[in-house]
Amino acid sequence: MSQEKKFEVAIVGGGIAGVTLAIALHYRSIPVTLYEQASAFGEIGAGVSFSPNAVQAMKVCHQGIFEAFEKVCTRNMWPSKQKVWFDYLNGSEDAVNGVGEDGFAFTISNSLGQNGVHRAHFLEEMVKLVPKDITKFRKRLQSITENSNGRLVMSFEDGTSAEADAVIGCDGIKSRVRQTIVGADHPSARPSYTHKYAYRGLVPMEDAIAAIGEERAQNSCMHMGPDGHILTFPVNHGEILNIVAFKTTADDWPDSQRLTKPAEQKDLLRDFEGYGPNIIKLLKLTKPNLDIWAIFDTGDHPVPTFYKGRVCIVGDAAHATSPHHGAGAGFCIEDSAVMAELLADKRVKSQTDLEAVFATFDAERRPRGHWLVQSSRRVGDCYEWRAEGIGRDFGKMEAEINERNGVIANVDVSKMCEHAREELGKRLV
Ligand code: FAD
């Protein structure tokens, strides 16, 4: 234990939330151990992009996280598109009046434009900041109990256990820690299907340029259509194009335990039949065997509380969102920044102060987290011309997306943390 902090924190889960939080706590001299179920840190080979709020939050967590991100980040390739988040295009064949030749509809910009990274590469860079001795692998959490000394005891699937004064669940969308907080039978214990699924692909940039030309391949695009949309952005310093193709379905997902299922390129092409020639050419660049990702979220049953006693949830465990705002991982990092700043507060010294920290975190983060989940559903429907009151009206769509993206991006993360610390003060007295 550090001299100032007479408590130990356990983090369960080593994804973006867990790793950023572990780094933020460790470099603030807060005793922390991270327990991860896998045998090593790992992320999938897909792209993830970050908006300006996320980049600010990285810096608050630890400058090294920002530097790791900068090392692997790819922005739009054209100088004229540095502030462009996405160019929105009508990707369906029946282009409506008022859109440009290749279906250009409108542009959404922000102060940093598009910032795409290859997930695995970003994690790999961040992990260099995590000392080996604070990480325990092959530790799949099963339960949390309290012993007679008031310490929390985590029991793992391998039969071992470990103690801590506080447990922070960063264990993702199917969080075991969330179930511990709300009860395994509570509706919010499990995420639900948004009736959208996605195909993901990474394709060589030179092939993408040959298929759809430099402007569309080298810069981020959102190709819209009825009941489906395809987003693309460059990663790997422009060598690779990240493609994610979303489809809405009335069907249920067959197995909520498994959020992916194997598919073939012909399924993808069937789903986007009738879309414009650029889309078809792009989709044909994907591999013959693909995975379909079910998009689940916590939107049907928002988690009523992010904490119970000295157990708390962060990131997707607390507010798993569909990816239509491209902000879920960014909110994980915001969570880590706020949590780290609260725990680092000088007034937080011993085990007895920890519940006030988590109560403050819950009050500060829950409204914003739940808002993101609902807003993401709404914009996802906008892209597919399904949103009530918007339909195919691109002017209304642009205005609504701009307003919602502003809520995400136009924040001051340092002030967010400052406000949280003020609120903590009211709870500590
Ligand atoms: P996870 O990444 O799920 O990590 C959880 C970790 O906990 C894992 O390592 C897991 O092994 C471990 N774990 C789970 N259970 C246990 C247990 N019982 N015991 C021990 N360890 C356990 N967000 C963006 O900001 N921008 C984007 O562009 C973007 N694109 C997306 C595209 C798609 C298709 C999807 C599905 C999501 C996207 N997101 C995006 C959202 C983003 O991926 C998530 O919000 C983020 O990765 C969640 O991180 P996390 O650390 O909370 O959870």
Side-chain angles (χ1 to χ4, degrees):
M1 289 197 196
S2 77
Q3 284 188 331
E4 285 178 18
K5 304 288 184 187
K6 308 283 179 229
F7 58 83
E8 286 177 334
V9 176
I11 294 173
V12 178
I16 287 174
V19 170
T20 54
L21 183 59
I23 295 168
L25 296 188
H26 175 74
Y27 291 96
R28 283 168 172 78
S29 300
I30 297 167
V32 59
T33 307
L34 189 155
Y35 299 90
E36 163 59 45
Q37 65 181 359
S39 55
F41 288 117
E43 261 284 5
I44 54 163
V48 59
S49 77
F50 290 103
S51 40
N53 56 306
V55 178
Q56 281 184 53
M58 290 174 197
K59 292 180 189 167
V60 173
C61 284
H62 187 258
Q63 184 66 14
I65 297 176
F66 171 67
E67 283 162 17
F69 161 75
E70 277 293 316
K71 195 166 171 189
V72 296
C73 172
T74 303
R75 302 198 162 86
N76 282 329
M77 309 295 287
W78 285 22
S80 59
K81 306 241 183 212
Q82 290 306 298
K83 300 266 157 103
V84 171
W85 186 55
F86 279 108
D87 278 333
Y88 282 71
L89 299 111
N90 180 346
S92 85
E93 206 165 33
D94 56 340
V96 287
N97 291 337
V99 298
E101 256 176 36
D102 66 349
F104 175 79
F106 55 89
T107 295
I108 301 283
S109 303
N110 68 37
S111 60
L112 292 180
Q114 184 61 239
N115 298 274
V117 301
H118 187 294
R119 282 175 182 262
H121 297 172
F122 181 39
L123 193 72
E124 208 175 284
E125 286 302 320
M126 282 201 292
V127 160
K128 292 178 186 165
L129 296 165
V130 184
K132 284 200 170 44
D133 60 344
I134 68 162
T135 311
K136 311 284 176 212
F137 291 112
R138 297 187 193 87
K139 295 292 169 196
R140 182 173 166 79
L141 180 84
Q142 277 187 323
S143 63
I144 305 168
T145 51
E146 193 172 328
N147 70 16
S148 54
N149 300 327
R151 299 203 85 207
L152 299 172
V153 181
M154 294 162 286
S155 301
F156 301 104
E157 209 172 70
D158 64 359
T160 60
S161 62
E163 287 183 20
D165 298 291
V167 177
I168 304 180
C170 299
D171 50 346
I173 188 164
K174 291 192 263 180
S175 172
R176 187 83 191 94
V177 181
R178 186 198 312 129
Q179 292 176 7
T180 308
I181 291 174
V182 298
D185 295 329
H186 191 273
S188 69
R190 282 169 190 78
S192 43
Y193 189 36
T194 63
H195 288 271
K196 281 185 176 28
Y197 57 84
Y199 301 86
R200 300 165 111 172
L202 292 172
V203 306
M205 182 59 82
E206 57 190 26
D207 296 347
I209 290 174
I212 60 168
E214 283 189 355
E215 181 175 4
R216 296 302 171 221
Q218 293 185 318
N219 303 294
S220 46
C221 293
M222 187 80 76
H223 302 268
M224 305 179 283
D227 299 326
H229 69 280
I230 299 105
L231 66 83
T232 62
F233 56 83
V235 292
N236 281 28
H237 301 299
E239 285 169 22
I240 301 283
L241 184 67
N242 179 54
I243 303 177
V244 193
F246 294 89
K247 187 75 189 160
T248 294
T249 175
D251 297 338
D252 288 329
W253 184 257
D255 178 0
S256 61
Q257 289 308 304
R258 290 182 64 86
L259 302 192
T260 60
K261 67 176 182 187
E264 291 177 22
Q265 193 195 58
K266 65 176 169 34
D267 303 316
L268 169 65
L269 292 170
R270 194 190 51 238
D271 272 347
F272 289 90
E273 211 175 314
Y275 275 63
N278 272 357
I279 296 302
I280 304 304
K281 280 189 251 173
L282 259 187
L283 300 182
K284 281 186 176 163
L285 297 178
T286 58
K287 294 192 172 132
N289 292 309
L290 298 161
D291 279 330
I292 290 181
W293 294 70
I295 307 299
F296 275 62
D297 73 6
T298 50
D300 284 353
H301 303 290
V303 191
T305 174
F306 286 0
Y307 86 107
K308 188 174 167 190
R310 282 175 280 119
V311 180
C312 193
I313 41 177
V314 159
D316 272 19
H319 44 72
T321 174
S322 56
H324 312 305
H325 267 307
F331 270 44
C332 291
I333 306 175
E334 275 188 20
D335 281 354
S336 294
V338 174
M339 180 64 90
E341 285 291 279
L342 287 173
L343 285 168
D345 190 291
K346 288 210 174 338
R347 295 164 295 180
V348 176
K349 291 182 183 142
S350 62
Q351 194 192 71
T352 48
D353 301 322
L354 296 172
E355 189 163 344
V357 168
F358 290 170
T360 308
F361 179 84
D362 173 60
E364 296 296 297
R365 296 301 299 164
R366 192 154 42 87
R368 185 161 161 84
H370 287 342
W371 173 87
L372 177 69
V373 177
Q374 299 303 333
S375 186
S376 177
R377 285 183 173 199
R378 170 77 181 172
V379 294
D381 278 345
C382 280
Y383 307 162
E384 301 182 359
W385 308 340
R386 301 165 48 84
E388 214 180 305
I390 301 282
R392 283 190 190 201
D393 186 324
F394 292 137
K396 282 189 185 169
M397 210 180 280
E398 181 181 0
E400 181 154 343
I401 296 168
N402 263 325
E403 192 186 323
R404 290 176 179 278
N405 281 13
V407 175
I408 294 167
N410 302 335
V411 289
D412 182 330
V413 176
S414 297
K415 281 202 179 129
M416 227 180 232
C417 296
E418 206 178 295
H419 184 263
R421 280 194 303 267
E422 279 166 27
E423 292 300 306
L424 174 66
K426 295 176 194 163
R427 287 185 171 85
L428 283 173
V429 288

